[in-house]
Amino acid sequence: MAALIEVTDPDDPRLADYRDLRDVELRKHLEAEHGLFLAEGEKVVRRAVEGGFAARSFLMAPRWLDGLEEVLASSDAPCYVVSEDLAEAVTGFHVHRGALASLERTPLRSVEEVVAGARTVVVPEDVVDHTDVGLTRLPPTRRRIAVLEDLVDHANVGAAFRNAAALGVEGVLLSPRCADPLYRRAIKVSMGAVLQIPWTRVDPWPDGLAALMEHEFTVVAMTLAKDAVDLDELVSMEPERLALVFGTEGSGVTPETASMADLRVRIPMAAGVDSLNVAAATAVAFYATR
Amino acid sequence: MAALIEVTDPDDPRLADYRDLRDVELRKHLEAEHGLFLAEGEKVVRRAVEGGFAARSFLMAPRWLDGLEEVLASSDAPCYVVSEDLAEAVTGFHVHRGALASLERTPLRSVEEVVAGARTVVVPEDVVDHTDVGLTRLPPTRRRIAVLEDLVDHANVGAAFRNAAALGVEGVLLSPRCADPLYRRAIKVSMGAVLQIPWTRVDPWPDGLAALMEHEFTVVAMTLAKDAVDLDELVSMEPERLALVFGTEGSGVTPETASMADLRVRIPMAAGVDSLNVAAATAVAFYATR
């Protein structure tokens, strides 16, 4: 049971994990050095704790205590109870969704573990059963992994994870330059999916992707190159194991990575229009290949 | 040819159109009362002017003048040339993409015009020819319109327009509560697509959607309701004229609107996962029905 501790001094050192959440550079250092990450909002805090991440502490206004009663009961970390004004003074913004938690990062998985892993998506217990949805119609051997190359925007990384979770992609591999999936904004945009889908960094990049080939994945570089085949053609091939590689919006997948791929595939688009952003491209590709 | 006018006083009244761009409420009043909207960034400014919107003025730092030379040559509106510091002082934020323009809003189209309209998407002249892309394979009579109900988030509205443009949707209808497509952030997220795709408001809502039925559109409410048919089923029907209605993420299409629809359709998703956000849902639905 988390001890409820009222804090009234914004400079209280026990609130250090929650300082200046809008200062991206400061947070990167602070979170890396202390091996922590922040969860924001009742739903995400619950998913993090239920997903097995150990809480260092919680921070919330009194009105959020009831909704998180069970979560707090399951943890020994302290819960700092503060006014909304104090929360704002510490974090630097109005905490709309009220509850925050600081959690311990876990060691990164190996690429092998993500690639070879079975369907290890954690389904929260509060979720209703949807046995009628599309995924149950997939052959049990069909597997899909998403590979994100150099997506430096936290919102894009979060959106890719959310789409992966919604559309049944089992794992995510990230290039070293990709934004941190456990950064607050990425977690929030992902609706907590980064806490559920197995993921890791690939290093060296892109050579570490060889693990995909060893496991007989068809590696597909998503690109707007004219010589790429249409997404429909990929769908008609029905690959049993499929790794979809997405690059930055501007340049797409790097030539080095594209040359490692088995196939180059593009989403056909209307004439004269900028490409879909990478989040929309993941949604389309994950849906089409489900 | 736009006159280049150097301005060094942040309180110069000629800069009034550009004040406090981060203040959403203030901007809503100011833009409505003066019938203006703001375009941000070289590409969007160009699209707005080339799309036929009349500029009231331009505001930019000297380094953006060259890139917009032709656009400025085509307009009689004044171009206020300012330092980047002054631009920041006036607008309230660092203007990353440099160029701003204030433009006259045009009268809203009639619903009839959007629904009956031919393919009136303006293709900017600087765009390369892509006659090999998917859309050219559509039968010429097949038409699609997107309907957005109560999307209050400017980014979601912008993303829906961007996806519509990229995936060949010809028009957009908005409920009265939808966020303004010509608000700066919506334009930016749409990559200027709101300036290209014909759109209008539907009022009264939802009765004004009757124009879709009169033009023999199949009206489809996108929803997560269990009794909805899967998107695949809709695709297999191959409707010649299709209107796809998207609602807010939380509640989906309202019951009133859903009851007007010919069909309720859902995107199949993995068990235990929050739905796709509405931007991703538009990308999937537009792609699947192309």
Side-chain angles (χ1 to χ4, degrees), chain B residues 4-290:
Chain B
L4 303 185
I5 301 168
E6 195 180 340
V7 178
T8 55
D9 174 7
D11 296 323
D12 191 310
R14 292 174 295 183
L15 306 188
D17 285 2
Y18 304 94
R19 297 252 175 261
D20 300 321
L21 294 183
R22 293 180 71 168
D23 187 335
V24 180
E25 289 311 314
L26 174 82
R27 295 300 308 182
K28 281 184 188 166
H29 295 300
L30 190 153
E31 298 187 7
E33 285 162 17
H34 294 280
L36 64 87
F37 69 96
L38 262 273
E40 177 186 11
E42 184 179 325
K43 188 182 279 186
V44 171
V45 168
R46 176 175 290 114
R47 286 211 173 156
V49 173
E50 290 180 353
F53 291 93
R56 291 161 58 96
S57 66
F58 301 89
L59 177 85
M60 64 192 72
R63 66 179 166 125
W64 301 102
L65 289 169
D66 281 355
L68 283 166
E69 193 178 356
E70 286 168 48
V71 172
L72 294 173
S74 73
S75 173
D76 291 327
C79 176
Y80 303 119
V81 182
V82 299
S83 69
E84 302 200 13
D85 285 348
L86 188 136
E88 189 169 344
V90 171
T91 62
F93 65 94
H94 187 68
V95 186
H96 294 286
R97 300 187 184 184
L100 290 166
S102 172
L103 302 122
E104 304 278 0
R105 287 175 186 251
T106 49
L108 283 178
R109 289 176 174 83
S110 67
V111 174
E112 176 69 21
E113 196 182 337
V114 173
V115 170
R119 293 170 178 269
T120 51
V121 175
V122 177
V123 177
E125 287 172 19
D126 62 335
V127 161
V128 292
D129 182 37
H130 284 301
T131 46
D132 58 338
V133 297
L135 278 175
T136 55
R137 293 178 210 143
L138 280 182
T141 56
R142 189 177 283 190
R143 303 188 53 224
R144 287 177 306 154
I145 280 179
V147 182
L148 309 181
E149 183 180 48
D150 299 356
L151 302 191
V152 296
D153 182 82
H154 290 109
N156 281 340
V157 169
F161 270 88
R162 180 175 178 181
N163 294 340
L167 297 168
V169 170
E170 291 176 54
V172 179
L173 299 176
L174 304 166
S175 77
R177 280 203 199 86
C178 264
D180 176 12
L182 292 183
Y183 187 73
R184 184 176 54 95
R185 179 146 170 76
I187 301 178
K188 189 174 167 183
V189 172
S190 84
M191 302 287 281
V194 296
L195 307 171
Q196 302 178 298
I197 298 186
W199 62 268
T200 195
R201 296 272 179 190
V202 177
D203 195 7
W205 178 268
D207 294 346
L209 293 177
L212 290 168
M213 284 72 166
E214 286 157 20
H215 284 270
E216 294 174 0
F217 275 76
T218 301
V219 178
V220 168
M222 299 300 298
T223 166
L224 286 173
K226 287 216 172 188
D227 61 346
V229 304
D230 273 6
L231 181 52
D232 279 347
E233 281 190 54
L234 171 65
V235 171
S236 67
M237 295 175 196
E238 301 190 344
E240 287 217 338
R241 298 179 176 199
L242 177 61
L244 293 162
V245 190
F246 300 88
T248 55
E249 290 184 50
S251 47
V253 173
T254 59
E256 216 182 339
T257 304
S259 71
M260 284 190 67
D262 299 305
L263 200 63
R264 300 206 289 169
V265 169
R266 74 199 165 100
I267 300 172
M269 286 180 219
V273 172
D274 288 294
S275 63
L276 295 171
N277 83 356
V278 69
T282 61
V284 166
F286 295 161
Y287 177 77
T289 60
R290 79 201 176 283

